[in-house]
């Protein structure tokens, strides 16, 4: 197949599957719905591999496919166009590859759900929207995919909509991310008016013409959209509540779609951020503050999925820190390894939740390593990669690249990132020791089916060796990712000082050691009830503050304006329509004599009109 046909075909695979699943209106057998969704994304992954082979066989490593012209105005044109280059190729492989494993896992996880056609339809539509986002060569087309993933996240977070809290979580995610979407759209309009185009290549070429306040404002608006979609301060409040959806949804949102969109946006438009050093510094410090605050919250959680949710926010903070330091490739490298180990952790947690009869409190678990040893091994592999255990995990190599970039940018940023690595080891293995160590208790039953076991095995392997495509020269001169896959400016310098490497290696090990001292099996695990722990467990009071400062005043204003003059005209029209309907209804009251009277009256009126001079 010519390379020009591959990007549209990759998007069409999950999109057609979504259309079939939605049009089936629930009449498709559940097993067939899961198989169709999984095979469609699997086919997209195979096509993505074919695209990679063809792309690297060409010297320039860039292909653009224009499908049609969307609109043309005076001096402005927008196209539905896809671009295949190293960045979009990496994202495409992550979305389809990890998405395929998540959908295969979902076939087992959701096998008892009566509404699987709707679930798999939303999941495949989610993958298709993310593919449109990462493949778009035009920012307006990218914005369509951006809004598409927001819509699908709303549908999937509130999938079990009969429970009120699930609907509330879905609305919260939708509203919070819409704030960022408005900021991003404003930034796109600013770019369109200043550069005369939203074609990404042209915008980046003309980015040098932006300087001073214009460059800062455009970059700041785009950053606002990115931090909202990627759950960074101050918009991080929606992601922990997004755990209301089924576990495969959590894995897809956190690993392959949605939250990675903001990181991709900044990496794709990095040339727009270079003329805005203040925004670059802000990006780095927002990432650092987010990773530390989210790490502290993860340390206090008792729900296993919320621990992982806050860890996602923290790891995304690392990516934003790298972006703010100008290390675009390091951020994407960590995005890739994070997709491996975070999907693994969520799916292993889902296997535990199923066998624990849908209990999610880690303090109601314990000793599960003896009951489910293979699930325990998968979770430990994911936790090791999350913590960045030296040499033995993918997360170590990507975090080392970020730590190196932070040191080169500002030693204070490096110090904060190192503290975050310590926190990650602490809360990650806190979860491991409480859930899996000690004597079995909690009543786990059943077995983990093959559709769930195969993705766990594949991702466990990737969480261990997936980072070895990019290694410090001190360990081994391997630079496959930076030289072959992502040859863009911004990779950290290849020199890695041994003291920095040792510090980055010892920080997570120290966190793991402290976790063992506090939550080892001989200790009696119990949730901390101190005020600081409760404050951290509640997300450092952000939800409470937003409810008091934003939600409550808005609701009070809405109540006060319920009967204002603006509502008078619609009320009058509604009343007139109601009165008219009742009046006409009396003409159809079933009284035959009255019908005959109306017929006679109408006949007389007609005759009078006919014989008038």
């Amino acid at each position: 197949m010519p390379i020009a046909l591959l990007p549209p075909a990759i998007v069409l695979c999950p999109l057609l599957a979504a259309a079939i699943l939605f049009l089936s209106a629930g009449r498709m057998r559940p097993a067939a719905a899961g198989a169709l969704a999984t095979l469609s994304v699997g086919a997209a992954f195979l096509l993505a591999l074919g695209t990679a082979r063809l792309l690297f066989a060409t010297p320039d490593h860039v292909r653009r496919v224009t499908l049609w012209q969307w609109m043309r105005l005076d001096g402005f044109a927008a196209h539905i166009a896809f671009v295949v280059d190293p960045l979009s190729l990496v994202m495409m492989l992550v979305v389809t590859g990890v998405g395929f494993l998540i959908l295969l896992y979902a076939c087992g996880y959701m096998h008892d759900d009566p509404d699987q056609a709707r679930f798999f339809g939303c999941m495949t539509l989610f993958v298709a929207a993310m593919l449109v986002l990462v493949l778009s060569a035009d920012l307006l087309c990218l914005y369509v995919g951006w809004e598409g993933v927001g819509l699908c996240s709303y549908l999937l977070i509130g999938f079990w909509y009969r429970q009120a809290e699930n609907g509330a979580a879905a609305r919260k995610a939708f509203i919070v991310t819409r704030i960022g979407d408005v900021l991003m759209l404003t930034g796109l309009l600013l770019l369109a008016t200043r550069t005369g185009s939203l074609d990404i290549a042209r915008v980046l070429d003309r980015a040098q013409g932006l300087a001073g306040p214009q460059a800062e404002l455009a970059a700041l608006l785009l950053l606002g959209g990115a931090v909202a979609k990627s759950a960074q301060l101050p918009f991080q409040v929606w992601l922990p509540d997004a755990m209301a959806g089924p576990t495969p949804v959590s894995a897809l949102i956190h690993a392959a779609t949605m939250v990675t969109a903001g990181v991709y946006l900044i990496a794709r438009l990095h040339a727009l951020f270079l003329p805005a050093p203040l925004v670059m510094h802000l990006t780095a410090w927002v990432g650092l503050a987010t990773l530390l605050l989210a790490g502290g919250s993860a340390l206090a959680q008792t729900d296993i999925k919320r621990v992982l949710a806050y860890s996602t926010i923290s790891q995304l903070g690392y990516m934003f820190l790298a972006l703010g330091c100008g290390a675009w490739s390091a951020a994407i490298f960590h995005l890739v390894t994070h997709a491996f180990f975070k999907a693994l952790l969520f799916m292993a947690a889902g296997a535990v939740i199923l066998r624990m009869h849908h209990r999610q409190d880690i303090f109601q678990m314990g000793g599960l390593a003896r009951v489910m040893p293979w699930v325990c091994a998968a979770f430990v592999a994911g936790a090791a990669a999350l913590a960045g255990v030296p040499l033995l995990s993918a997360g170590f190599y990507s975090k080392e690249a970020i730590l190196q970039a932070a040191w080169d940018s500002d030693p204070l940023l490096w110090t904060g990132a190192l503290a975050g690595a310590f926190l990650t080891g602490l809360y990650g293995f806190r979860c491991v020791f409480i859930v899996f160590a000690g004597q079995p208790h909690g009543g786990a039953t059943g077995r983990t089916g093959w559709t769930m076991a195969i993705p766990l095995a594949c991702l466990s392997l990737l969480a261990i060796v997936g980072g070895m495509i990019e290694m410090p020269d001190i360990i081994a001169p391997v630079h496959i990712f930076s030289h072959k896959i992502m040859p863009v400016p911004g990779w950290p310098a290849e020199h890695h000082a041994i003291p920095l490497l040792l510090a980055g290696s010892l920080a997570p090990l120290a966190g793991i050691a402290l976790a063992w001292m506090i939550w080892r099996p001989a200790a009696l695990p119990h949730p901390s009830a101190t005020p600081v722990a409760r404050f951290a467990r509640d997300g450092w009071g952000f939800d409470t503050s937003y409810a008091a400062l934003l939600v409550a005043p808005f609701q009070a204003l809405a109540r006060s304006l319920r009967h204002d003059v603006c509502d008078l005209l619609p009320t009058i029209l509604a009343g007139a329509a109601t009165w008219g309907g009742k009046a006409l209804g009396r003409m159809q009251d079933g009284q035959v004599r009255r019908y005959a009277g109306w017929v006679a009256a109408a006949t007389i009126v007609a005759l009078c009109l006919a014989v008038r001079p």
Side-chain angles (χ1 to χ4, degrees), residues 59-82:
D60 56 354
H61 290 186
V62 177
R63 282 291 183 273
R64 179 188 171 99
V65 181
T66 301
L67 300 181
W68 66 83
Q69 183 173 279
W70 186 355
M71 64 181 73
R72 175 172 287 278
L73 303 173
D74 185 22
F76 176 83
H79 297 84
I80 302 296
F82 296 147

PDB file of all heavy atoms in Angstrom, residues 59-82:
ATOM      1  N   PRO A  59      14.622   9.107   2.611  1.00  0.00           N
ATOM      2  CA  PRO A  59      15.683   9.921   3.236  1.00  0.00           C
ATOM      3  C   PRO A  59      15.177  11.051   4.124  1.00  0.00           C
ATOM      4  O   PRO A  59      15.820  11.413   5.099  1.00  0.00           O
ATOM      5  CB  PRO A  59      16.445  10.478   2.030  1.00  0.00           C
ATOM      6  CG  PRO A  59      15.471  10.434   0.897  1.00  0.00           C
ATOM      7  CD  PRO A  59      14.585   9.251   1.153  1.00  0.00           C
ATOM      8  N   ASP A  60      14.007  11.650   3.805  1.00  0.00           N
ATOM      9  CA  ASP A  60      13.597  12.835   4.557  1.00  0.00           C
ATOM     10  C   ASP A  60      12.729  12.524   5.767  1.00  0.00           C
ATOM     11  O   ASP A  60      12.532  13.359   6.633  1.00  0.00           O
ATOM     12  CB  ASP A  60      12.859  13.822   3.645  1.00  0.00           C
ATOM     13  CG  ASP A  60      11.655  13.187   2.956  1.00  0.00           C
ATOM     14  OD1 ASP A  60      11.470  11.964   3.103  1.00  0.00           O
ATOM     15  OD2 ASP A  60      10.908  13.923   2.275  1.00  0.00           O
ATOM     16  N   HIS A  61      12.177  11.320   5.845  1.00  0.00           N
ATOM     17  CA  HIS A  61      11.406  10.883   7.005  1.00  0.00           C
ATOM     18  C   HIS A  61      10.165  11.744   7.257  1.00  0.00           C
ATOM     19  O   HIS A  61       9.699  11.835   8.397  1.00  0.00           O
ATOM     20  CB  HIS A  61      12.263  10.869   8.274  1.00  0.00           C
ATOM     21  CG  HIS A  61      13.288   9.781   8.271  1.00  0.00           C
ATOM     22  ND1 HIS A  61      14.080   9.510   9.357  1.00  0.00           N
ATOM     23  CD2 HIS A  61      13.677   8.907   7.310  1.00  0.00           C
ATOM     24  CE1 HIS A  61      14.914   8.517   9.065  1.00  0.00           C
ATOM     25  NE2 HIS A  61      14.677   8.143   7.820  1.00  0.00           N
ATOM     26  N   VAL A  62       9.606  12.357   6.239  1.00  0.00           N
ATOM     27  CA  VAL A  62       8.399  13.167   6.396  1.00  0.00           C
ATOM     28  C   VAL A  62       7.490  12.920   5.197  1.00  0.00           C
ATOM     29  O   VAL A  62       7.955  12.951   4.054  1.00  0.00           O
ATOM     30  CB  VAL A  62       8.717  14.675   6.518  1.00  0.00           C
ATOM     31  CG1 VAL A  62       7.426  15.484   6.603  1.00  0.00           C
ATOM     32  CG2 VAL A  62       9.589  14.944   7.732  1.00  0.00           C
ATOM     33  N   ARG A  63       6.231  12.682   5.452  1.00  0.00           N
ATOM     34  CA  ARG A  63       5.253  12.532   4.393  1.00  0.00           C
ATOM     35  C   ARG A  63       3.984  13.293   4.785  1.00  0.00           C
ATOM     36  O   ARG A  63       3.503  13.183   5.920  1.00  0.00           O
ATOM     37  CB  ARG A  63       4.901  11.057   4.165  1.00  0.00           C
ATOM     38  CG  ARG A  63       5.950  10.302   3.363  1.00  0.00           C
ATOM     39  CD  ARG A  63       5.979  10.768   1.918  1.00  0.00           C
ATOM     40  NE  ARG A  63       6.921  10.003   1.117  1.00  0.00           N
ATOM     41  CZ  ARG A  63       8.194  10.287   0.986  1.00  0.00           C
ATOM     42  NH1 ARG A  63       8.714  11.316   1.637  1.00  0.00           N
ATOM     43  NH2 ARG A  63       8.976   9.550   0.225  1.00  0.00           N
ATOM     44  N   ARG A  64       3.452  14.044   3.854  1.00  0.00           N
ATOM     45  CA  ARG A  64       2.226  14.797   4.086  1.00  0.00           C
ATOM     46  C   ARG A  64       1.156  14.287   3.126  1.00  0.00           C
ATOM     47  O   ARG A  64       1.426  14.099   1.934  1.00  0.00           O
ATOM     48  CB  ARG A  64       2.447  16.297   3.864  1.00  0.00           C
ATOM     49  CG  ARG A  64       1.190  17.140   4.070  1.00  0.00           C
ATOM     50  CD  ARG A  64       1.418  18.584   3.644  1.00  0.00           C
ATOM     51  NE  ARG A  64       0.181  19.327   3.641  1.00  0.00           N
ATOM     52  CZ  ARG A  64      -0.213  20.123   4.624  1.00  0.00           C
ATOM     53  NH1 ARG A  64       0.545  20.274   5.688  1.00  0.00           N
ATOM     54  NH2 ARG A  64      -1.344  20.788   4.537  1.00  0.00           N
ATOM     55  N   VAL A  65      -0.068  14.085   3.661  1.00  0.00           N
ATOM     56  CA  VAL A  65      -1.189  13.593   2.866  1.00  0.00           C
ATOM     57  C   VAL A  65      -2.337  14.577   3.041  1.00  0.00           C
ATOM     58  O   VAL A  65      -2.886  14.708   4.145  1.00  0.00           O
ATOM     59  CB  VAL A  65      -1.626  12.184   3.315  1.00  0.00           C
ATOM     60  CG1 VAL A  65      -2.784  11.696   2.458  1.00  0.00           C
ATOM     61  CG2 VAL A  65      -0.461  11.215   3.265  1.00  0.00           C
ATOM     62  N   THR A  66      -2.702  15.281   1.976  1.00  0.00           N
ATOM     63  CA  THR A  66      -3.835  16.211   2.009  1.00  0.00           C
ATOM     64  C   THR A  66      -5.054  15.510   1.424  1.00  0.00           C
ATOM     65  O   THR A  66      -5.054  15.108   0.258  1.00  0.00           O
ATOM     66  CB  THR A  66      -3.520  17.479   1.205  1.00  0.00           C
ATOM     67  OG1 THR A  66      -2.360  18.111   1.768  1.00  0.00           O
ATOM     68  CG2 THR A  66      -4.698  18.449   1.266  1.00  0.00           C
ATOM     69  N   LEU A  67      -6.099  15.368   2.224  1.00  0.00           N
ATOM     70  CA  LEU A  67      -7.299  14.666   1.778  1.00  0.00           C
ATOM     71  C   LEU A  67      -8.234  15.599   1.025  1.00  0.00           C
ATOM     72  O   LEU A  67      -8.697  15.269  -0.060  1.00  0.00           O
ATOM     73  CB  LEU A  67      -8.013  14.049   2.988  1.00  0.00           C
ATOM     74  CG  LEU A  67      -7.175  13.039   3.781  1.00  0.00           C
ATOM     75  CD1 LEU A  67      -7.984  12.477   4.933  1.00  0.00           C
ATOM     76  CD2 LEU A  67      -6.675  11.911   2.885  1.00  0.00           C
ATOM     77  N   TRP A  68      -8.542  16.760   1.601  1.00  0.00           N
ATOM     78  CA  TRP A  68      -9.350  17.745   0.890  1.00  0.00           C
ATOM     79  C   TRP A  68      -9.211  19.106   1.571  1.00  0.00           C
ATOM     80  O   TRP A  68      -8.765  19.207   2.712  1.00  0.00           O
ATOM     81  CB  TRP A  68     -10.824  17.346   0.797  1.00  0.00           C
ATOM     82  CG  TRP A  68     -11.561  17.304   2.105  1.00  0.00           C
ATOM     83  CD1 TRP A  68     -12.130  18.349   2.758  1.00  0.00           C
ATOM     84  CD2 TRP A  68     -11.826  16.134   2.908  1.00  0.00           C
ATOM     85  NE1 TRP A  68     -12.735  17.928   3.915  1.00  0.00           N
ATOM     86  CE2 TRP A  68     -12.568  16.566   4.028  1.00  0.00           C
ATOM     87  CE3 TRP A  68     -11.529  14.787   2.782  1.00  0.00           C
ATOM     88  CZ2 TRP A  68     -12.992  15.686   5.006  1.00  0.00           C
ATOM     89  CZ3 TRP A  68     -11.951  13.909   3.753  1.00  0.00           C
ATOM     90  CH2 TRP A  68     -12.676  14.369   4.855  1.00  0.00           C
ATOM     91  N   GLN A  69      -9.595  20.119   0.824  1.00  0.00           N
ATOM     92  CA  GLN A  69      -9.588  21.478   1.377  1.00  0.00           C
ATOM     93  C   GLN A  69     -10.865  21.690   2.162  1.00  0.00           C
ATOM     94  O   GLN A  69     -11.970  21.556   1.637  1.00  0.00           O
ATOM     95  CB  GLN A  69      -9.474  22.511   0.258  1.00  0.00           C
ATOM     96  CG  GLN A  69      -9.385  23.943   0.761  1.00  0.00           C
ATOM     97  CD  GLN A  69      -9.108  24.920  -0.354  1.00  0.00           C
ATOM     98  OE1 GLN A  69      -7.974  25.094  -0.790  1.00  0.00           O
ATOM     99  NE2 GLN A  69     -10.150  25.556  -0.864  1.00  0.00           N
ATOM    100  N   TRP A  70     -10.708  22.041   3.421  1.00  0.00           N
ATOM    101  CA  TRP A  70     -11.863  22.190   4.301  1.00  0.00           C
ATOM    102  C   TRP A  70     -12.568  23.514   4.026  1.00  0.00           C
ATOM    103  O   TRP A  70     -13.774  23.555   3.822  1.00  0.00           O
ATOM    104  CB  TRP A  70     -11.371  22.112   5.749  1.00  0.00           C
ATOM    105  CG  TRP A  70     -12.456  22.101   6.781  1.00  0.00           C
ATOM    106  CD1 TRP A  70     -13.789  22.239   6.571  1.00  0.00           C
ATOM    107  CD2 TRP A  70     -12.286  21.938   8.190  1.00  0.00           C
ATOM    108  NE1 TRP A  70     -14.457  22.170   7.764  1.00  0.00           N
ATOM    109  CE2 TRP A  70     -13.564  21.984   8.767  1.00  0.00           C
ATOM    110  CE3 TRP A  70     -11.180  21.758   9.006  1.00  0.00           C
ATOM    111  CZ2 TRP A  70     -13.751  21.858  10.148  1.00  0.00           C
ATOM    112  CZ3 TRP A  70     -11.369  21.629  10.362  1.00  0.00           C
ATOM    113  CH2 TRP A  70     -12.639  21.682  10.927  1.00  0.00           C
ATOM    114  N   MET A  71     -11.823  24.602   4.010  1.00  0.00           N
ATOM    115  CA  MET A  71     -12.419  25.911   3.789  1.00  0.00           C
ATOM    116  C   MET A  71     -11.370  26.847   3.207  1.00  0.00           C
ATOM    117  O   MET A  71     -10.159  26.634   3.388  1.00  0.00           O
ATOM    118  CB  MET A  71     -12.968  26.500   5.095  1.00  0.00           C
ATOM    119  CG  MET A  71     -11.906  26.793   6.139  1.00  0.00           C
ATOM    120  SD  MET A  71     -12.569  27.467   7.681  1.00  0.00           S
ATOM    121  CE  MET A  71     -13.320  26.006   8.375  1.00  0.00           C
ATOM    122  N   ARG A  72     -11.839  27.837   2.495  1.00  0.00           N
ATOM    123  CA  ARG A  72     -10.954  28.875   1.967  1.00  0.00           C
ATOM    124  C   ARG A  72     -11.643  30.218   2.112  1.00  0.00           C
ATOM    125  O   ARG A  72     -12.755  30.408   1.612  1.00  0.00           O
ATOM    126  CB  ARG A  72     -10.591  28.616   0.507  1.00  0.00           C
ATOM    127  CG  ARG A  72      -9.762  29.757  -0.113  1.00  0.00           C
ATOM    128  CD  ARG A  72      -9.240  29.401  -1.481  1.00  0.00           C
ATOM    129  NE  ARG A  72      -8.169  28.431  -1.410  1.00  0.00           N
ATOM    130  CZ  ARG A  72      -6.898  28.732  -1.145  1.00  0.00           C
ATOM    131  NH1 ARG A  72      -6.557  29.995  -0.911  1.00  0.00           N
ATOM    132  NH2 ARG A  72      -5.976  27.806  -1.097  1.00  0.00           N
ATOM    133  N   LEU A  73     -10.970  31.105   2.823  1.00  0.00           N
ATOM    134  CA  LEU A  73     -11.448  32.469   2.982  1.00  0.00           C
ATOM    135  C   LEU A  73     -10.393  33.403   2.400  1.00  0.00           C
ATOM    136  O   LEU A  73      -9.369  32.967   1.879  1.00  0.00           O
ATOM    137  CB  LEU A  73     -11.684  32.772   4.470  1.00  0.00           C
ATOM    138  CG  LEU A  73     -12.652  31.835   5.198  1.00  0.00           C
ATOM    139  CD1 LEU A  73     -12.665  32.138   6.679  1.00  0.00           C
ATOM    140  CD2 LEU A  73     -14.051  31.918   4.618  1.00  0.00           C
ATOM    141  N   ASP A  74     -10.652  34.674   2.479  1.00  0.00           N
ATOM    142  CA  ASP A  74      -9.715  35.645   1.943  1.00  0.00           C
ATOM    143  C   ASP A  74      -8.397  35.581   2.710  1.00  0.00           C
ATOM    144  O   ASP A  74      -8.306  36.004   3.860  1.00  0.00           O
ATOM    145  CB  ASP A  74     -10.311  37.047   2.034  1.00  0.00           C
ATOM    146  CG  ASP A  74      -9.429  38.087   1.368  1.00  0.00           C
ATOM    147  OD1 ASP A  74      -8.611  37.694   0.513  1.00  0.00           O
ATOM    148  OD2 ASP A  74      -9.545  39.277   1.703  1.00  0.00           O
ATOM    149  N   GLY A  75      -7.378  35.027   2.075  1.00  0.00           N
ATOM    150  CA  GLY A  75      -6.065  34.954   2.695  1.00  0.00           C
ATOM    151  C   GLY A  75      -5.909  33.849   3.713  1.00  0.00           C
ATOM    152  O   GLY A  75      -4.903  33.811   4.436  1.00  0.00           O
ATOM    153  N   PHE A  76      -6.860  32.935   3.817  1.00  0.00           N
ATOM    154  CA  PHE A  76      -6.767  31.857   4.810  1.00  0.00           C
ATOM    155  C   PHE A  76      -7.372  30.591   4.214  1.00  0.00           C
ATOM    156  O   PHE A  76      -8.424  30.635   3.565  1.00  0.00           O
ATOM    157  CB  PHE A  76      -7.514  32.240   6.088  1.00  0.00           C
ATOM    158  CG  PHE A  76      -7.539  31.135   7.119  1.00  0.00           C
ATOM    159  CD1 PHE A  76      -6.460  30.946   7.966  1.00  0.00           C
ATOM    160  CD2 PHE A  76      -8.633  30.293   7.230  1.00  0.00           C
ATOM    161  CE1 PHE A  76      -6.477  29.925   8.907  1.00  0.00           C
ATOM    162  CE2 PHE A  76      -8.663  29.282   8.172  1.00  0.00           C
ATOM    163  CZ  PHE A  76      -7.579  29.104   9.021  1.00  0.00           C
ATOM    164  N   ALA A  77      -6.711  29.455   4.444  1.00  0.00           N
ATOM    165  CA  ALA A  77      -7.212  28.158   3.985  1.00  0.00           C
ATOM    166  C   ALA A  77      -6.937  27.124   5.066  1.00  0.00           C
ATOM    167  O   ALA A  77      -5.926  27.189   5.774  1.00  0.00           O
ATOM    168  CB  ALA A  77      -6.560  27.746   2.675  1.00  0.00           C
ATOM    169  N   ALA A  78      -7.852  26.177   5.206  1.00  0.00           N
ATOM    170  CA  ALA A  78      -7.694  25.073   6.154  1.00  0.00           C
ATOM    171  C   ALA A  78      -7.923  23.769   5.406  1.00  0.00           C
ATOM    172  O   ALA A  78      -8.807  23.680   4.548  1.00  0.00           O
ATOM    173  CB  ALA A  78      -8.669  25.204   7.320  1.00  0.00           C
ATOM    174  N   HIS A  79      -7.114  22.762   5.722  1.00  0.00           N
ATOM    175  CA  HIS A  79      -7.174  21.492   5.027  1.00  0.00           C
ATOM    176  C   HIS A  79      -7.348  20.346   6.026  1.00  0.00           C
ATOM    177  O   HIS A  79      -6.917  20.437   7.181  1.00  0.00           O
ATOM    178  CB  HIS A  79      -5.903  21.245   4.212  1.00  0.00           C
ATOM    179  CG  HIS A  79      -5.672  22.241   3.116  1.00  0.00           C
ATOM    180  ND1 HIS A  79      -5.056  23.464   3.352  1.00  0.00           N
ATOM    181  CD2 HIS A  79      -5.978  22.208   1.798  1.00  0.00           C
ATOM    182  CE1 HIS A  79      -4.985  24.136   2.220  1.00  0.00           C
ATOM    183  NE2 HIS A  79      -5.533  23.396   1.258  1.00  0.00           N
ATOM    184  N   ILE A  80      -7.998  19.297   5.556  1.00  0.00           N
ATOM    185  CA  ILE A  80      -7.964  18.030   6.271  1.00  0.00           C
ATOM    186  C   ILE A  80      -6.738  17.302   5.736  1.00  0.00           C
ATOM    187  O   ILE A  80      -6.743  16.771   4.620  1.00  0.00           O
ATOM    188  CB  ILE A  80      -9.240  17.208   6.032  1.00  0.00           C
ATOM    189  CG1 ILE A  80     -10.465  18.001   6.474  1.00  0.00           C
ATOM    190  CG2 ILE A  80      -9.154  15.879   6.768  1.00  0.00           C
ATOM    191  CD1 ILE A  80     -10.510  18.306   7.953  1.00  0.00           C
ATOM    192  N   ALA A  81      -5.672  17.318   6.505  1.00  0.00           N
ATOM    193  CA  ALA A  81      -4.398  16.778   6.036  1.00  0.00           C
ATOM    194  C   ALA A  81      -3.697  16.078   7.188  1.00  0.00           C
ATOM    195  O   ALA A  81      -3.820  16.471   8.353  1.00  0.00           O
ATOM    196  CB  ALA A  81      -3.515  17.902   5.476  1.00  0.00           C
ATOM    197  N   PHE A  82      -2.973  15.028   6.848  1.00  0.00           N
ATOM    198  CA  PHE A  82      -2.200  14.266   7.820  1.00  0.00           C
ATOM    199  C   PHE A  82      -0.719  14.376   7.483  1.00  0.00           C
ATOM    200  O   PHE A  82      -0.342  14.491   6.311  1.00  0.00           O
ATOM    201  CB  PHE A  82      -2.610  12.788   7.831  1.00  0.00           C
ATOM    202  CG  PHE A  82      -4.027  12.552   8.271  1.00  0.00           C
ATOM    203  CD1 PHE A  82      -4.766  11.512   7.740  1.00  0.00           C
ATOM    204  CD2 PHE A  82      -4.624  13.365   9.220  1.00  0.00           C
ATOM    205  CE1 PHE A  82      -6.065  11.274   8.144  1.00  0.00           C
ATOM    206  CE2 PHE A  82      -5.926  13.159   9.631  1.00  0.00           C
ATOM    207  CZ  PHE A  82      -6.654  12.105   9.094  1.00  0.00           C
TER     208      PHE A  82
END
